[in-house]
Amino acid sequence: MKPNTQQSTNNNNDNNMINNNDDDNSYNESLPDSAQSTILVMYRSVGLGMYGALMRYAGMPLEKIALYMNSSQVSGENQFRQAIRLTFQDGQRQSFLAPYKVVGPASGVAWFLQYSVMGMVFQICDRALSSLLDVPVIPYGSQLMEDPANDIDNSKTDEQSSSTALKQGLKIILAPTLAGTVESIVSNRAEVQRFYGISKFSQVESSLKWNPVSRLCGPAFLANASRNCIMSSTSFVITPVLYRKYYPQEDKSKTSLFWFGLGVNIFIGNAIAITQQSLWGRALDYAVSSSTNTAAKGEAITARNINYRVVVRDSLKTEGTSAFFTVPKWAARVLMNAPVQGTLPWFYNEVLPLAEGTILSVSKNIYNNLLGSSPLLSPSRDSSVNKPLMRKVTNKAKGFCDEETKTTATSPFNR
């Protein structure tokens, strides 16, 4: 009966070896950190682009109202009413679809790129600068709900703390500045097209005869980039940092983050950005102001390069500070911008993380499938497959040796 028991044990060992063989053949490698980081950056960027494009198209009437409110085409009393009339004017009649007629394919692509590229550039700059300066990245997702009291490091000296604060301040300025500038490169030309209209914008471009780089950036680029830098700082830096550090810990939630982001956008971001939005609109009016009469007669438009000093001087001379900031201008800007830019921190930190686990899981499966099917990606595949077989042979030999040892020990010649 004893040999039968040993045979049963060997069979169990064989089954275990087969199971181990199956486990070794299943390529269940984790994604490299660099791949995970790249996948998450791409996912967040695409998500931001789709969200921004849909929201901007839906709010096109509000955008046109804000554009007219922050230009020299409305003045005096009832500016809001004037802007609404211009927004829905379609030739000699009023039409609700009039604001959407200035949206071309370039605008749809620009909206998507505007938010996706802005998000991507900010994430890349944030990570790169954090690694270069040896400082933490801007808090994201669930990190906003953490207690900042746990971040206190008493081991650092005052000199080290000052150096870290200086580096963080430098990164906080550079990251959104770069993101806002790149955002303007991909979006300003389409915004100018929506401001002038497709036909008029084409005439303006032809008249200016700019080089390819200038045509890519579009007229009034500096004012547009300045505005976008302010809004990028509001969405990706000011909102998450202030919320994590100073919002009462017991009141933190997805709902409170949503309303906090809106509040920061409305009362901080847009209160400053409205001055640059007004400068942008007045600069575009300045570019074609010399050809207003010819345009009314149906003649070709003659545009001129923008002189910001003259634009600011003439605006202050005619309307004072109200040329760049009034409550109606600010309100029109908020109506256009807050629905998408104000909810961006909430969407970025609370909605996008919901699918990140699924995205990484799918990516991991694809990675493992490629790893298992490609000998180039898995050079050690043959050796890993043969390991269970070698273990099986070794264990059998070991069992045989043990059995021989037992037999020898009980032999009468050894007594």
Side-chain angles (χ1 to χ4, degrees), residues 1 9 24 51 81 88 112 170 184 228 233 278 282 293 331 352 356 408:
M1 297 299 294
T9 302
D24 287 343
Y51 178 75
R81 184 182 300 175
F88 296 102
F112 175 81
L170 179 63
S184 292
N228 286 338
S233 300
S278 297
R282 289 179 174 273
N293 295 329
L352 287 179
E356 287 185 355
T408 305

Side-chain angles (χ1 to χ4, degrees), residues 253-284:
S253 66
K254 294 181 179 179
T255 303
S256 63
L257 176 60
F258 177 86
W259 292 110
F260 182 83
L262 272 179
V264 171
N265 173 272
I266 293 171
F267 297 106
I268 297 180
N270 276 310
I272 302 173
I274 186 61
T275 59
Q276 302 307 300
Q277 179 71 22
S278 297
L279 177 62
W280 180 79
R282 289 179 174 273
L284 293 178

Side-chain angles (χ1 to χ4, degrees), residues 221-263:
F221 174 80
L222 292 179
N224 186 279
S226 177
R227 181 203 67 194
N228 286 338
C229 291
I230 294 170
M231 299 312 300
S232 178
S233 300
T234 302
S235 298
F236 294 111
V237 177
I238 297 176
T239 295
V241 170
L242 290 183
Y243 183 85
R244 187 177 188 274
K245 283 195 172 186
Y246 301 108
Y247 202 86
Q249 187 65 30
E250 61 276 9
D251 296 331
K252 287 184 177 180
S253 66
K254 294 181 179 179
T255 303
S256 63
L257 176 60
F258 177 86
W259 292 110
F260 182 83
L262 272 179

Side-chain angles (χ1 to χ4, degrees), residues 178-387:
L178 292 173
T181 302
V182 175
E183 178 188 0
S184 292
I185 292 175
V186 301
S187 67
N188 181 60
R189 186 172 179 274
E191 288 188 42
V192 176
Q193 183 187 71
R194 295 194 297 274
F195 181 86
Y196 286 137
I198 297 175
S199 177
K200 185 176 180 180
F201 174 67
S202 179
Q203 296 182 52
V204 170
E205 275 197 321
S206 300
S207 177
L208 289 174
K209 299 179 180 179
W210 281 353
N211 59 61
V213 175
S214 298
R215 287 173 65 90
L216 175 66
C217 294
F221 174 80
L222 292 179
N224 186 279
S226 177
R227 181 203 67 194
N228 286 338
C229 291
I230 294 170
M231 299 312 300
S232 178
S233 300
T234 302
S235 298
F236 294 111
V237 177
I238 297 176
T239 295
V241 170
L242 290 183
Y243 183 85
R244 187 177 188 274
K245 283 195 172 186
Y246 301 108
Y247 202 86
Q249 187 65 30
E250 61 276 9
D251 296 331
K252 287 184 177 180
S253 66
K254 294 181 179 179
T255 303
S256 63
L257 176 60
F258 177 86
W259 292 110
F260 182 83
L262 272 179
V264 171
N265 173 272
I266 293 171
F267 297 106
I268 297 180
N270 276 310
I272 302 173
I274 186 61
T275 59
Q276 302 307 300
Q277 179 71 22
S278 297
L279 177 62
W280 180 79
R282 289 179 174 273
L284 293 178
D285 287 333
Y286 172 87
V288 298
S289 61
S290 61
S291 57
T292 303
N293 295 329
T294 59
K297 296 177 182 178
E299 300 177 4
I301 295 176
T302 303
R304 56 179 174 175
N305 291 326
I306 297 171
N307 187 325
Y308 286 100
R309 181 180 299 177
V310 175
V311 172
V312 173
R313 184 193 64 198
D314 292 348
S315 298
L316 292 175
K317 183 177 180 180
T318 55
E319 299 184 44
T321 56
S322 61
F324 298 101
F325 185 90
T326 63
V327 173
K329 290 180 186 293
W330 168 75
R333 168 74 184 172
V334 166
L335 285 175
M336 177 203 80
N337 184 262
V340 56
Q341 197 85 28
T343 59
L344 208 61
W346 165 80
F347 182 81
Y348 181 74
N349 291 285
E350 295 296 338
V351 178
L352 287 179
L354 296 178
E356 287 185 355
T358 302
I359 295 295
L360 289 177
S361 178
V362 172
S363 302
K364 179 181 177 181
N365 291 335
I366 296 174
Y367 174 77
N368 287 325
N369 288 336
L370 293 175
L371 188 68
S373 62
S374 175
L376 295 177
L377 294 177
S378 182
S380 61
R381 181 182 178 186
D382 293 338
S383 60
S384 64
V385 172
N386 290 331
K387 282 181 181 178

